[in-house]
Amino acid sequence: MFKSSSGIKKATVIPVPNPVDTRKLLEAAEKLKFRDCKATEEESWGFIKPDYTDNWPLIPSFQHAHLITLRRDRRVPNKTKLSREWHEAIREKEKAEERKLTKEERLDLREKCKLKLFANTPPKESEYQAIYDSERRLLVVLESASSSVQFVVEKFNRLIDPQGVSVAWEASQQQPILEGTLTSWAYRPENIPEPLNLTLGTDYRLSSDDSKAVLANHQPGAEEINIHLMNRKQVEQLQLFWGESVSFALSAKKVLSQIDFKSYCSDNIKEIRENKEVDDIRVYEEGMFLVYYGAFLELWDIVTQIPEMPSGGL
């Protein structure tokens, strides 16, 4: 049901300002179902069922959580071939008409060359998922890349637009609100509030105005980490452990990735798999969903308690 067999691996959590009627959500999704990309189209997108079967409606609901799955097919012609054919078309047209083409004419030729290449360019298929939590009024986009999150938010807004509701999220406006906090933790791990039950991992991503550093397998307090921090680099992302069994990467923009719930959820997953009374695939998949999403909400509640400290030198 989830794209990953390991449940939720990454997430960007966005507040939804107003309640959404979930019955109307399903109705809107039915009107925006995915359709195959035509030969002359650059892309096609739409909503699909989460598992390619008839077991579930287009947007299955599990208590207050509603799982949304998007598919996007996009043709991306080979850049070198497109450039070659485009410039050849320009040369031929300018020679035939004995004049220089305008910028608009050149761009129009490029679009025509691109359309010709579409016929021999199979579309690249991508899937995205999000969970609308009607109780908490959250949109949990199961992506960490800002471009993917932006795409999902735009399409979710298409779903809820008939209800006069929209989610305001722009990739360019997301601020590194945890930059000061994560930098402080990297420099002094003892600054992590004990009630959070968080400890530092070994992977770090740091940056300054003119350089970046990606450090892997570095123990907290390692000299190389401190050198970068003393050179006024700030932490963009670091690996954390919640308790002893959940690891994840947290970015300064409060985006989670590389989440590993395997050990944390193992007992519950084992119980579901070994329960002989669970012979209905829907019951089984609902159980798996609720285990992983419940674990995520517990982790998110911890993340929301992380204090925001100002950025600056150490």
Side-chain angles (χ1 to χ4, degrees), residues 41 82 132 146 154 161 200 221 231 252 269:
E41 289 181 325
L82 174 59
Y132 170 61
S146 58
E154 288 173 359
D161 180 67
L200 293 184
N231 285 330
I269 296 298

Side-chain angles (χ1 to χ4, degrees), residues 10-14 70 72 128-130 139-157 167-171 174 255-256:
K10 48 192 172 182
T12 302
V13 181
I14 304 168
L70 264 168
R72 183 190 196 188
Y128 309 88
Q129 289 189 311
L139 180 66
V140 182
V141 182
L142 306 187
E143 297 289 341
S144 56
S146 58
S147 59
S148 298
V149 176
Q150 188 76 65
F151 177 78
V152 174
V153 170
E154 288 173 359
K155 305 317 176 191
F156 181 73
N157 279 336
V167 173
W169 193 93
E170 292 290 337
Q174 302 312 301
V255 175
L256 288 76

Side-chain angles (χ1 to χ4, degrees), residues 39-191:
T40 55
E41 289 181 325
E42 183 171 3
E43 71 171 19
S44 177
W45 67 270
F47 297 92
I48 61 173
K49 294 180 179 181
D51 62 356
Y52 301 100
T53 72
D54 293 326
N55 292 326
W56 299 102
L58 206 54
I59 299 181
S61 298
F62 309 96
Q63 299 175 8
H64 52 83
H66 312 274
L67 180 62
I68 299 166
T69 307
L70 264 168
R71 176 175 163 182
R72 183 190 196 188
D73 283 13
R74 188 180 184 193
R75 301 180 195 277
V76 183
N78 180 278
K79 290 183 180 180
T80 302
K81 189 172 184 180
L82 174 59
S83 178
R84 183 172 61 247
E85 295 201 6
W86 177 37
H87 286 93
E88 180 63 29
I90 291 172
R91 283 194 295 270
E92 289 180 359
K93 191 172 180 63
E94 288 183 339
K95 182 178 180 180
E97 299 184 8
E98 298 182 343
R99 66 181 182 89
K100 287 289 185 181
L101 299 182
T102 65
K103 180 180 179 180
E104 290 74 17
E105 289 173 323
R106 291 163 69 92
L107 292 176
D108 182 60
L109 268 183
R110 188 178 190 278
E111 288 304 307
K112 289 179 180 178
C113 290
K114 187 191 290 186
L115 282 174
K116 283 174 59 179
L117 291 177
F118 281 166
N120 297 315
T121 306
K124 180 182 178 181
E125 179 182 331
S126 301
E127 287 188 15
Y128 309 88
Q129 289 189 311
I131 300 167
Y132 170 61
D133 191 317
S134 55
E135 182 175 82
R136 296 188 177 218
R137 292 230 300 266
L138 296 174
L139 180 66
V140 182
V141 182
L142 306 187
E143 297 289 341
S144 56
S146 58
S147 59
S148 298
V149 176
Q150 188 76 65
F151 177 78
V152 174
V153 170
E154 288 173 359
K155 305 317 176 191
F156 181 73
N157 279 336
R158 289 282 298 274
L159 282 182
I160 62 178
D161 180 67
Q163 300 185 45
V165 184
S166 66
V167 173
W169 193 93
E170 292 290 337
S172 60
Q173 296 178 7
Q174 302 312 301
Q175 300 299 315
I177 56 176
L178 294 180
E179 185 178 76
T181 302
L182 300 185
T183 301
S184 169
W185 290 3
Y187 188 63
R188 296 189 184 279
E190 62 269 24
N191 287 343

